[in-house]
Amino acid sequence: MHGTWTRTVLIVSVMGCEALLAQIPAASGVATNKALLDRYCGGCHNDKLKASNFSLQNVDLNKVADHPEIWERVIRKMRAGMMPPAGMNRPPQAQYDGLRDWLEEQIDQKATGRPNPGSVVMHRLNRTEYANAIRDLLDLEIDVNALLPADNSARGFDNVAGSLTISPTLIEAYTTAAARIARMSVGYWKSPTEAAYIAPGDTSQTQHIDGLPFGTRGGMKVRHAFPADGDYTFNVQNFGLGRFIPGETLLFLIDNETVATKEYKGVGLTAANAASGDGSIDVTVHVKAGSHTVGVTFLADNFRPSLDLIKHYERTSLEDNPIPQLQYHPAVGMLRIRGPFKATRPEDSRSLRKVMTCTPKTQAEESACYKEILTTLLRRAFRRPVTANDMEWVLGFYQEGRREGDFRDGIELALRRILTSPQFLIRAEREAAAAVPGQPYRITDQELASRLSFLLWSSIPDDELIKVAADNQLHLPAVLEKQVRRMLVDPKSAALVENFGDQLLYLRNLPATSPDGLFYPNWDDELRKAFRRETELLFESIIKENRNVVDLLTADYTFLNERLAQHYGIPNIYGSQFRRVQLGSELDYRRGLLGQGSVLSLTWVQNFRTSPVKRGVWVLENILGTPAPEPPPNVPPLEDTKSDKKILTLREQMTLHRQAEPCASCHKLMDPIGFSLENFDADGSYRTRQGGEGGVPIDTAVTLWDGSKINGPIELRTALLRYSPQFVRMVTEKLMTFALGRGVEDEDMPVVRLIVHEADRDHDRFFSILMGIIKSQPFQFRTKQVEERASN
């Protein structure tokens, strides 16, 4: 006994207590966990079978941390409960969790003190960031889609630096856009231009549009930039297909103020008035320069339900569908805005007030004034304090414009040059002179401010953030948190929902979602927009109320307007405005994302039915964080799988489809998830039978990937909550990808786990996850590039 104690003392004195404690459990852990892997995983993941092209036969558990590309894959599958697959023997839960946690500990211990900040060489603004930057720099809202080509996406987001390349075509587009924007901002556009706004073909215009005056119905509301003071012609046409009653009053509004009214006479109502019908209506009004909201809508004084002799559907009038439609109401299909005519140079606009912070009354006052204006523009556009070189560079352009015109012409040309500068278009970060190649170093406070503003606002920093960064205070934890809280309260933080949330949940795909009108005659553009807004408001409530992110799956409330409430069968909700609605026990199936029409309608297939496969894939990727593999080539379509004896239900067809490999292994994961959601039709409506009231009862009883037996969407949600920690990790990974502008790699997972661990102490609230990312080394550090040596 004494000898054992003596040896222990010697070991501790030589190796240190920490090393001793680390080695003893590691040795026993290797043997125990190797036995678990061999027993429960080795039967499939060996060199002979190599299931999923993955073998664990010769792995060395003493070197787990040296191969994160192997073990992070294993950890992810175990976190989602997907391995071993259903029907195979599994270890007791305590051993299962112990193996998973041990693997994480091995990787995390080695990663301690060795962060992976990564290195983004060049990160240009995407279209959304460009438009927001112009808005905040010049107080001018632009139609960026008409100015710049679409961006590529990577890792699920369009702000990933590696996908934001620069081409000669894009440079030309930036140059053209800069000239147009600068002129709209401080100059004026003398030549008339034209813009056309087209309503979706499945639009319905029987209800009030939120933001337009009460007592109106339908029409269109757009944001348009008027380049000068002058007369503009507003042309409305394409009132829909069919015959419409006359006497409708059409209102034209600018910033919600009525500027003109026209009576709609009724296109082709009778042979007598066909020639004098309103195929097109024009009005001309004088409009001040700047961004304005333009509305065209009908007075809702001609609505007579008695005229609807047949039960109409919501999908109406702008497309030729062989379905009963409410055809006595005309609709606005297109709005054209032409002008300016009789243009004059604006003396006042929001953009002028933003840019022209001073106005010289004499030529002697111009020098001080242009320095003030250009210094402000440069500081905001370049997102840092202005240097003497900056002023010298831009001064030449001001002087050139001033020689050709007046003071504002000089500012306009200088602004054009600022907007084409790489320092505006690219989120540049300079490498520290003292940084060691291949080693991480802290970015400057100005660079941190830029990262922060593009994360939270998808735009440039404001003056307060720039000042705090210039004072070298932003990196201080208390100051940083104070600024984040301030920025989240700002209305510009809606960008976090619209850009991060919409891409995370695929909401940007909704405009392309359009089930066949024959099968879903109540689907229309208003419903599509309502689906998107419902989910955005749920996501916003998680952020603004600092809720547990798991509430995205379990929230007992939602946001509805009248149109959406009617679709869901929820009574007593009136008007176009969304409001928070508590979901009682009778609507338990509507709780969380899996009960919302946005998610459910994104997963239809071939326009006429649901897709259990797509719904299963959505859950695997967006809740469990385990994307399904790409389907193998030459997979026959589902419709080719038929029976000679009877007409098969969708579930029976899919059961035949996945009987053999290579389909079976993946479909066993995806299909049960989708089948449990079959109570929801392709348009998100709830049903109990397939094919209507006389159809076949829907069978939603399934066995999930982990062997759990469930029945229906409510039990699916409950089953998924077992893996809510993995959902929190998935949200953290995605938010980190969005924040860094690069993909999260295996080397980043120790940081992700640390953030999640800290957030778990605060009940996985959104702000804790967000601050964990912002305070992390990947967000506040970067790695100096290692120079490649030319070969001899």
Side-chain angles (χ1 to χ4, degrees):
M1 187 74 177
H2 178 75
T4 302
W5 179 83
T6 303
R7 285 195 301 272
T8 303
V9 172
L10 290 173
I11 292 172
V12 172
S13 65
V14 174
M15 301 181 62
C17 183
E18 291 182 1
L20 174 65
L21 294 175
Q23 284 197 6
I24 293 176
S28 60
V30 167
T32 300
N33 291 316
K34 177 61 175 171
L36 281 174
L37 286 172
D38 290 343
R39 179 177 180 183
Y40 295 102
C41 305
C44 297
H45 296 289
N46 54 56
D47 291 346
K48 182 178 180 181
L49 296 179
K50 213 169 186 180
S52 299
N53 197 32
F54 190 64
S55 175
L56 294 172
Q57 183 170 322
N58 297 313
V59 296
D60 185 355
L61 290 190
N62 289 298
K63 299 180 179 179
V64 168
D66 295 336
H67 298 283
E69 74 282 359
I70 295 175
W71 297 109
E72 290 294 353
R73 183 176 175 182
V74 173
I75 291 168
R76 187 177 297 272
K77 291 290 186 180
M78 295 185 71
R79 280 282 176 192
M82 290 187 172
M83 288 294 156
M88 305 292 289
N89 289 331
R90 288 193 171 209
Q93 194 63 43
Q95 294 182 10
Y96 187 93
D97 295 343
L99 170 60
R100 179 200 65 211
D101 295 344
W102 182 84
L103 291 172
E104 290 181 345
E105 289 169 3
Q106 300 306 301
I107 297 174
D108 294 352
Q109 284 177 4
K110 183 173 182 178
T112 302
R114 298 182 180 181
N116 178 45
S119 180
V120 176
V121 179
M122 184 175 67
H123 194 172
R124 72 165 173 85
L125 307 188
N126 64 21
R127 285 201 306 188
T128 300
E129 293 166 342
Y130 182 88
N132 290 345
I134 294 297
R135 177 201 65 200
D136 296 336
L137 181 66
L138 306 175
D139 202 359
L140 181 69
E141 296 180 45
I142 61 172
D143 181 6
V144 72
N145 296 339
L147 296 174
L148 301 177
D151 297 309
N152 295 321
S153 295
R155 304 296 185 102
F157 298 100
D158 63 3
N159 71 334
V160 172
S163 67
L164 295 172
T165 56
I166 296 179
S167 65
T169 301
L170 183 61
I171 294 174
E172 184 178 350
Y174 277 136
T175 303
T176 303
R180 186 179 183 88
I181 291 167
R183 178 153 294 183
M184 293 170 61
S185 178
V186 297
Y188 75 111
W189 210 267
K190 302 176 184 178
S191 302
T193 60
E194 179 178 303
Y197 301 93
I198 302 173
D202 59 356
T203 188
S204 296
Q205 299 185 12
T206 59
Q207 297 188 7
H208 172 255
I209 294 179
D210 193 23
L212 292 181
F214 290 111
T216 61
R217 65 144 192 94
M220 186 183 296
K221 182 182 72 170
V222 300
R223 192 76 180 171
H224 184 77
F226 294 85
D229 291 358
D231 294 342
Y232 292 84
T233 297
F234 299 84
N235 169 259
V236 178
Q237 53 186 283
N238 186 19
F239 288 95
L241 302 170
R243 298 174 175 232
F244 308 111
I245 60 174
E248 292 273 349
T249 301
L250 192 62
L251 303 183
F252 292 82
L253 306 106
I254 303 293
D255 295 331
N256 231 23
E257 294 290 333
T258 302
V259 295
T261 60
K262 281 282 186 176
E263 182 181 350
Y264 171 76
K265 298 177 182 178
V267 179
L269 183 66
T270 66
N273 70 0
S276 61
D278 298 320
S280 176
I281 293 179
D282 291 335
V283 300
T284 299
V285 297
H286 188 81
V287 183
K288 291 285 189 181
S291 299
H292 298 284
T293 299
V294 179
V296 182
T297 185
F298 293 95
L299 277 180
D301 58 358
N302 211 7
F303 182 76
R304 291 178 57 190
S306 61
L307 292 176
D308 188 12
L309 300 180
I310 58 175
K311 180 182 178 181
H312 75 277
Y313 295 104
E314 291 293 340
R315 193 169 180 147
T316 62
S317 68
L318 290 184
E319 61 182 8
D320 190 11
N321 261 334
I323 59 175
Q325 300 185 43
L326 184 61
Q327 292 189 332
Y328 60 85
H329 275 309
V332 174
M334 178 184 293
L335 169 65
R336 293 182 186 273
I337 303 177
R338 302 188 187 101
F341 304 101
K342 302 177 184 178
T344 59
R345 192 174 195 175
E347 296 301 326
D348 181 58
S349 70
R350 287 165 45 194
S351 187
L352 278 173
R353 291 193 294 271
K354 182 80 170 182
V355 175
M356 306 296 290
T357 56
C358 60
T359 303
K361 296 180 180 179
T362 65
Q363 191 169 354
E365 296 177 354
E366 289 187 5
S367 177
C369 188
Y370 75 65
K371 288 179 181 178
E372 176 186 327
I373 292 172
L374 295 181
T375 299
T376 301
L377 286 172
L378 285 167
R379 184 182 70 251
R380 292 170 176 169
F382 292 177
R383 308 176 282 279
R384 58 170 174 77
V386 180
T387 66
N389 288 336
D390 295 329
M391 285 300 298
E392 182 181 355
W393 163 78
V394 79
L395 180 58
F397 295 97
Y398 163 78
Q399 291 172 340
E400 180 182 345
R402 180 66 180 87
R403 282 194 300 268
E404 300 293 328
D406 60 13
F407 181 79
R408 277 172 56 177
D409 291 323
I411 297 297
E412 179 185 336
L413 189 58
L415 177 57
R416 280 179 60 178
R417 191 61 187 89
I418 291 171
L419 296 182
T420 56
S421 169
Q423 297 192 65
F424 172 66
L425 298 173
I426 295 173
R427 295 164 55 180
E429 295 179 352
R430 297 182 180 180
E431 290 187 338
V436 178
Q439 295 298 314
Y441 65 91
R442 182 181 289 278
I443 61 176
T444 67
D445 273 28
Q446 288 84 7
E447 292 165 348
L448 179 59
S450 182
R451 287 191 179 190
L452 194 60
S453 66
F454 281 106
L455 165 61
L456 300 179
W457 291 344
S458 294
S459 185
I460 56 178
D462 62 1
D463 289 342
E464 178 174 339
L465 192 60
I466 292 175
K467 184 181 184 306
V468 172
D471 293 339
N472 202 33
Q473 297 292 305
L474 186 59
H475 69 279
L476 301 176
V479 176
L480 182 61
E481 181 170 331
K482 180 180 178 181
Q483 286 298 313
V484 172
R485 291 187 182 277
R486 178 185 71 86
M487 295 172 73
L488 284 176
V489 174
D490 192 288
K492 289 185 290 188
S493 66
L496 192 58
V497 175
E498 296 166 0
N499 298 321
F500 171 65
D502 281 15
Q503 292 184 87
L504 172 71
L505 302 174
Y506 303 165
L507 298 185
R508 289 188 178 181
N509 296 345
L510 272 172
T513 302
S514 184
D516 194 303
L518 285 174
F519 295 91
Y520 300 97
N522 281 318
W523 175 280
D524 62 359
D525 188 54
E526 281 62 38
L527 183 63
R528 183 189 293 114
K529 291 176 180 176
F531 280 161
R532 181 172 185 165
R533 192 60 185 146
E534 176 191 24
T535 303
E536 287 178 340
L537 288 170
L538 173 64
F539 200 89
E540 182 182 88
S541 73
I542 301 297
I543 297 175
K544 298 295 186 183
E545 300 170 20
N546 193 22
R547 301 178 71 94
N548 188 323
V549 295
V550 179
D551 286 356
L552 285 168
L553 306 180
T554 63
D556 59 355
Y557 62 91
T558 190
F559 297 85
L560 303 174
N561 65 358
E562 182 177 356
R563 177 71 183 89
L564 187 54
Q566 287 176 351
H567 187 73
Y568 286 169
I570 300 176
N572 304 322
I573 304 293
Y574 302 103
S576 60
Q577 290 186 320
F578 279 80
R579 76 293 313 262
R580 189 170 181 145
V581 177
Q582 202 69 23
L583 298 173
S585 58
E586 72 282 2
L587 293 169
D588 198 19
Y589 58 85
R590 286 289 178 196
R591 290 177 60 174
L593 291 173
L594 292 181
Q596 296 198 341
S598 59
V599 171
L600 297 165
S601 63
L602 282 168
T603 50
W604 57 269
V605 68
Q606 297 178 357
N607 292 344
F608 63 88
R609 66 167 174 81
T610 61
S611 172
V613 174
K614 287 187 175 182
R615 286 178 173 175
V617 168
W618 192 95
V619 169
L620 290 177
E621 183 162 351
N622 291 279
I623 294 180
L624 297 173
T626 54
E630 292 293 324
N634 303 319
V635 176
L638 189 60
E639 286 67 29
D640 289 349
T641 305
K642 299 179 179 178
S643 170
D644 295 332
K645 298 181 181 180
K646 66 173 184 176
I647 298 176
L648 302 177
T649 65
L650 175 61
R651 181 162 183 167
E652 290 169 336
Q653 292 179 55
M654 296 191 67
T655 299
L656 289 176
H657 181 73
R658 69 170 191 264
Q659 281 183 344
E661 294 293 355
C663 301
S665 57
C666 291
H667 279 277
K668 285 180 180 178
L669 295 175
M670 303 178 292
D671 292 3
I673 298 172
F675 286 136
S676 68
L677 293 170
E678 273 295 281
N679 283 130
F680 296 109
D681 208 342
D683 63 351
S685 59
Y686 192 80
R687 60 182 182 172
T688 57
R689 292 178 176 270
Q690 182 176 333
E693 294 182 1
V696 180
I698 293 174
D699 181 10
T700 58
V702 297
T703 300
L704 295 178
W705 68 92
D706 61 357
S708 303
K709 296 183 183 298
I710 66 166
N711 191 347
I714 297 175
E715 293 186 13
L716 172 65
R717 185 181 69 236
T718 302
L720 289 173
L721 289 180
R722 288 183 54 195
Y723 305 103
S724 59
Q726 179 63 11
F727 176 69
V728 176
R729 280 173 169 76
M730 186 280 299
V731 172
T732 305
E733 281 184 59
K734 296 288 188 179
L735 185 54
M736 179 174 279
T737 296
F738 185 78
L740 299 179
R742 66 169 177 84
V744 172
E745 308 296 343
D746 294 327
E747 293 78 9
D748 295 304
M749 290 310 297
V751 175
V752 172
R753 283 190 283 270
L754 178 62
I755 293 169
V756 171
H757 176 72
E758 293 298 320
D760 188 55
R761 299 178 179 179
D762 191 33
H763 307 288
D764 297 322
R765 297 183 187 277
F766 181 85
F767 188 78
S768 294
I769 295 173
L770 178 66
M771 284 307 303
I773 292 172
I774 291 171
K775 291 179 178 179
S776 71
Q777 289 202 351
F779 192 80
Q780 297 198 18
F781 284 68
R782 71 186 298 241
T783 302
K784 182 176 176 62
Q785 290 285 306
V786 178
E787 297 182 1
E788 296 182 3
R789 295 183 178 179
S791 59
N792 295 329

